[in-house]
Amino acid sequence: GYVWKTFREGFKKNFGQATILWIGAVLVGAFLVFDLWCCQFLAPLGAVRFFAFFLLIGAIFVYLLTIIYLFPLLAFFHVDTRKVIRDSFVMSVGNLHVSITILVIYGITAVVTYFFPMLFMFWFALGSYVASFFYRFIFYKYIKDDEE
């Protein structure tokens, strides 16, 4: 198909739902980062602070794993907001090795962009292109399971 026409139609169709998801993701991420900051600088030293710190790091890791699937899942499947959130969590945890690989790809993209900022659009496009193969692998695996 045509790239621009397909993008425009998908953008119009998913704008409202994607905006709600994005605002929710930013709020949850800000809450987790604020909690981590409070734990690090305001909590008294001791076992509780140590436990809370690692609990929050784990929550942020699960949050990042879930976030990386939200918008590709929304673009690939047309489902309601709750199902997108639930399915992105299930896919990220159920395919942990692929999810970590995608996080590493995005991390490398961020580091390369930091050192070569003039080509940031190229690096993000390249990172997204490479990650798309992993998303496609995961999504088709779930489509195949549904058909059977």
Side-chain angles (χ1 to χ4, degrees):
Y2 297 100
V3 174
W4 179 249
K5 182 180 176 185
T6 305
F7 170 77
R8 194 176 74 228
E9 288 173 2
F11 183 81
K12 279 196 272 187
K13 187 185 323 182
N14 295 322
F15 180 76
Q17 190 176 12
T19 302
I20 291 168
L21 284 171
W22 181 82
I23 290 171
V26 168
L27 291 175
V28 170
F31 177 76
L32 288 171
V33 169
F34 179 72
D35 276 355
L36 187 65
W37 181 83
C38 287
C39 177
Q40 191 67 20
F41 295 109
L42 301 178
L45 292 174
V48 173
R49 178 178 174 182
F50 182 77
F51 178 73
F53 176 77
F54 283 104
L55 186 66
L56 283 168
I57 292 294
I60 290 171
F61 182 70
V62 170
Y63 165 78
L64 289 174
L65 288 177
T66 304
I67 289 300
I68 63 172
Y69 281 92
L70 271 181
F71 299 104
L73 193 61
L74 181 64
F76 200 78
F77 301 104
H78 302 290
V79 293
D80 66 345
T81 304
R82 262 187 217 169
K83 186 162 174 52
V84 168
I85 295 169
R86 188 190 67 210
D87 289 350
S88 63
F89 174 76
V90 168
M91 285 183 181
S92 66
V93 174
N95 301 287
L96 194 57
H97 60 290
V98 177
S99 301
I100 291 172
T101 304
I102 293 170
L103 275 179
V104 168
I105 290 168
Y106 289 148
I108 291 170
T109 301
V111 169
V112 171
T113 302
Y114 177 78
F115 287 110
F116 303 103
M118 297 301 288
L119 298 172
F120 76 95
M121 292 297 280
F122 172 75
W123 299 124
F124 283 124
L126 181 64
S128 297
Y129 177 73
V130 172
S132 72
F133 291 104
F134 292 98
Y135 288 123
R136 184 173 292 143
F137 170 75
I138 296 299
F139 293 163
Y140 283 131
K141 185 171 103 173
Y142 282 93
I143 290 173
K144 184 178 163 187
D145 288 345
D146 280 347
E147 289 175 354
E148 292 175 358

